[in-house]
Amino acid sequence: MPTAESRASQAGRATRAGGATQAGRAGQAGRAGSGTGLALAVVSAVTFGTSGAFAASLIGAGWSPAAAVITRIAVAALVLTVPAVLQLRGRWSLLRRGAGKAAAFGLVAVAGCQLFYFNAIERMPVGVALLLEYLGPVLVVGWLWLRRGQRPRRLTVIGTVAAIAGLAMVLDLGGPARIDPIGVMWGLLAAVGLATYFLLGAAEDEEPLPPIVMAWAGMCVGAAALAALGLAGVLPVTATSGDVEFLHHQVSWIVPVLGLSLVASVISYVTGIGASRRLGAKLASFVGLAEVLSAILFAWLLLGQLPSAVQFVGGAFILAGVTLVRVDELGATPAGGRRESPAHVPELVDSGVQSEAGRPDRLI
């Protein structure tokens, strides 16, 4: 007959074994969530990168950049309306509680970022403006350091320098570049908008808006804000209804509009928010640098613009920088045992096991 001590010992071993099993399941689910986050981030960057090819055909046919952006965001918001409303059935309180963040996302990350960028390229070369805008990941690192005390470690610093150097090479900034102080200001504001996109997309609330709802609400606000600026005469809004040239063929203007709205907006924003939820703002923002590589790749495939050797080398630097930041994230042990954003584990919630961030996942 087992003694009390033996029963206690058996219970202790069972508890430790159960805890180890649960911890193992949590670790596996966390790694799976991280892998999904990386996949979503790459999809987001690639689909964002198609916007240049689609927009070029509209602008070449007489559309103003503001008109293309307003149409892009408005159509995307319309497409997302039904799935967003379905996700909010019985949970409209989520939208009320998250209205402030959704409004900030729409005004700063959607409308503001694009408006600031367009103002920048009016005063400086596109490559310089893009380089300034894609300082956004650096701003994310700085914000997490100043606001949350997450001081960047050596690998993150090295990865940041490598990524920015690679970005400069990819954008091919060689040659004389006219630097306008006002243009620099607009470019840095665009970087703030890009950083806001990743920080608000990460959404560390206890019950954040689902990615589809967040994207939909932000696009509604952004489209309304840009349309208001257009009606007020602040933004020049011109569009034509004639055919446009796309892939060396004359097609209806509807084709690039749908590409901008469905591929470069609906898919890119929803997957981008989903990636930020799983990876955190810092890593998601660095993976987002692949958008520049994607834009050059699509310009090569769709428009016949062959990248230079320097741009290929720059792409390798960006990938190296992202890899270093990723390695640093994997080896991180933040204070309090939390990452700056959760890697959620939905299937372990009922069993009492949570992810390394302590919160259940919310699927796209």
Side-chain angles (χ1 to χ4, degrees), residues 98-113 193 196-197 200 214 217-218 221-222:
K101 286 190 174 181
F105 185 82
L107 290 174
V108 181
V110 178
C113 186
T196 302
Y197 165 76
L200 290 180
M214 184 72 168
V221 173

Side-chain angles (χ1 to χ4, degrees), residues 290-342:
E291 177 187 342
V292 182
L293 302 179
S294 301
I296 292 176
L297 176 62
F298 283 113
W300 177 19
L301 296 178
L302 302 181
L303 305 178
Q305 300 175 0
L306 182 66
S308 66
V310 173
Q311 288 177 316
F312 278 114
V313 174
F317 268 76
I318 290 177
L319 292 177
V322 172
T323 301
L324 288 172
V325 173
R326 173 59 176 161
V327 170
D328 202 16
E329 285 286 293
L330 290 175
T333 308
R338 288 187 58 147
R339 292 183 183 272
E340 106 255 4
S341 185

